[in-house]
Amino acid sequence: MTVGGVSRPGGTDGAVETLSTGHRVELPLSTTARARGVVLPASRSGVRSILPESLRPVRVTPTRAAVTFLSVAYDRIGGSDIDPYDEFGVLFPAVPADAPPVSAIRRVGGYVDFLPVTTEPARALGVEVWGYPKAVADITHRERGATRHTTVTVDGERFVDCAVDRPPTVETRLSTASYTTMDGRLLRERLTVDGRVGAWPASGAFSVTLGDHPRADRLRRLDVGDRAILRVAADVEFTIHAGRRVGSE
């Protein structure tokens, strides 16, 4: 983002950022969100071809990496200057390519590959502050019992249908991270979640059906598995900190 003529990729915690839409947000950005997701095995070579050179995929078997599909309903964004919106994320668990094995586990994050959202202010927020690859799309969440079924259509083409059964959750607070590319630089955003979180391993209680959108075609080439590594759920306060250039931390 550019503030006062000075480029500051990822912004700065404590700063107030003004978006192209005129909305103002303070970093770190506190939100409340209800997320459901599934982590699936995928071709390690295929994931590596998508990641920037400065990241390497997290290995779940000798030949397999992972992809995460994450459905999110935001109920509050910061001080509510931006209206609630829905989102669907495609992320690849990754670590910096130069991270030694002893410290790699502490630097695991999700490289955000695609992030459809339902409003233009939501798109501007992600793209302009952190470099999240957002696009305005039609997203529908349908809740039936413990299952959320999400349908995403981008530019008039079906991208994905995803249904996930909510696993049991417990009260917890944890920290994780995302990776993005902005102005040619790899950024790491610290993320904190505080609320009810759950994960369930080795599960078949989900479905993912890819559509005809070109982004779906790219995912199809990853030979995504049909047994989940994890099903996840979070009903939390979700805080996104300013991005920091990888290598400057």
Side-chain angles (χ1 to χ4, degrees), residues 100-230:
V102 69
S103 66
I105 190 65
R106 293 187 290 106
R107 302 179 71 183
V108 171
Y111 177 74
V112 186
D113 181 61
F114 192 37
L115 202 59
V117 294
T118 50
T119 71
E120 175 56 27
R123 188 206 65 80
L125 171 66
V127 171
E128 295 173 17
V129 177
W130 298 283
Y132 286 121
K134 292 188 174 185
V136 177
D138 293 322
I139 301 174
T140 303
H141 301 314
R142 298 184 297 281
E143 310 276 354
R144 179 173 294 179
T147 303
R148 175 188 288 174
H149 185 170
T150 298
T151 298
V152 184
T153 301
V154 183
D155 298 327
E157 293 185 281
R158 184 65 55 87
F159 171 52
V160 69
D161 284 285
C162 179
V164 180
D165 285 7
R166 182 181 64 246
T169 60
V170 297
E171 287 286 341
T172 190
R173 179 179 175 83
L174 56 87
S175 180
T176 182
S178 62
Y179 289 103
T180 58
T181 302
M182 187 176 188
D183 295 343
R185 303 174 183 178
L186 180 67
L187 302 182
R188 181 181 187 272
E189 298 86 20
R190 184 164 67 92
L191 313 173
T192 59
V193 297
D194 190 354
R196 297 199 67 86
V197 178
W200 198 266
S203 173
F206 75 95
S207 67
V208 174
T209 304
L210 297 173
D212 296 325
H213 191 274
R215 285 276 187 170
D217 290 339
R218 185 167 77 155
L219 292 172
R220 243 186 299 273
R221 294 193 288 270
L222 297 181
D223 185 27
V224 177
D226 58 5
R227 185 95 178 150
I229 300 167
L230 287 174

Side-chain angles (χ1 to χ4, degrees), residues 50-106:
I50 293 174
L51 293 175
E53 290 185 1
S54 47
L55 289 176
R56 69 172 186 265
V58 170
R59 183 183 302 185
V60 296
T61 75
T63 61
R64 302 287 270 169
V67 57
T68 300
F69 296 98
L70 192 63
S71 161
V72 187
Y74 286 99
D75 299 314
R76 176 184 59 80
I77 309 297
S80 299
D81 190 32
I82 294 178
D83 289 337
Y85 61 89
D86 293 329
E87 178 178 277
F88 189 88
V90 178
L91 304 89
F92 296 106
V95 296
D98 60 356
V102 69
S103 66
I105 190 65
R106 293 187 290 106

Side-chain angles (χ1 to χ4, degrees), residues 15-37:
V16 176
E17 307 285 1
T18 301
L19 307 180
S20 60
T21 57
H23 295 84
R24 291 165 61 83
V25 294
E26 183 176 358
L27 300 181
L29 180 67
S30 170
T31 73
T32 55
R34 294 170 288 117
R36 308 287 182 263

